[in-house]
Amino acid sequence: MKSADRIPSAAVASLIILQSVMLAALYAGVPPHPPEAIPLFGIAPFLGVALSVAAAALILGPGSSRAGCWAGGLAALMALLSFGPQKYVDAQFALIWPAVLGGQAASLILIANLLLRGRSIRKAAGEGAKS
């Protein structure tokens, strides 16, 4: 694995760990833990899906394949529901800020990877069409 490919893989691994800890806190009831449900869905099933998408991204290679890159981007968007900027106004922000900042950093890396990889894929496809 090239060094540049390790950065998005590390970001995905970071999201897997963060979301696993939050899921464990939910099950254990250890504060600060996420709520059991939010208006759209139960949080435990959502974290399960978010973890599975992140694991798929890690297996596919978020820095080395188109499918892995897209799965990494999806994992980032799902993580931002838990760690996004809306958490700055959360009453428990003083207790959760390390996870919020870590989740945001990992998500930004994956979104940047998706945008940059998409650009290089389009550029390579355009060069291939000219040949």
Side-chain angles (χ1 to χ4, degrees):
M1 180 183 288
K2 294 185 291 185
S3 181
D5 294 344
R6 291 177 188 261
I7 295 169
S9 294
V12 170
S14 175
L15 292 180
I16 289 170
I17 292 167
L18 279 169
Q19 291 170 332
S20 296
V21 168
M22 294 309 290
L23 187 59
L26 173 67
Y27 288 149
V30 178
H33 56 77
E36 290 182 24
I38 60 173
L40 299 176
F41 45 76
I43 203 71
F46 173 75
L47 286 174
V49 170
L51 285 165
S52 67
V53 169
L58 195 57
I59 291 167
L60 292 169
S64 59
S65 77
R66 178 184 279 185
C69 185
W70 280 101
L74 181 57
L77 293 177
M78 294 176 87
L80 287 175
L81 288 175
S82 296
F83 305 111
Q86 73 277 7
K87 293 298 181 179
Y88 290 116
V89 295
D90 189 296
Q92 295 191 42
F93 182 74
L95 300 173
I96 61 172
W97 68 268
V100 171
L101 295 180
Q104 288 177 1
S107 295
L108 289 175
I109 288 168
L110 291 169
I111 291 168
N113 179 62
L114 175 63
L115 296 174
L116 294 173
R117 180 154 175 83
R119 188 175 298 152
S120 67
I121 290 170
R122 284 191 301 276
K123 186 176 178 182
E127 290 173 2
K130 291 178 185 178
S131 299

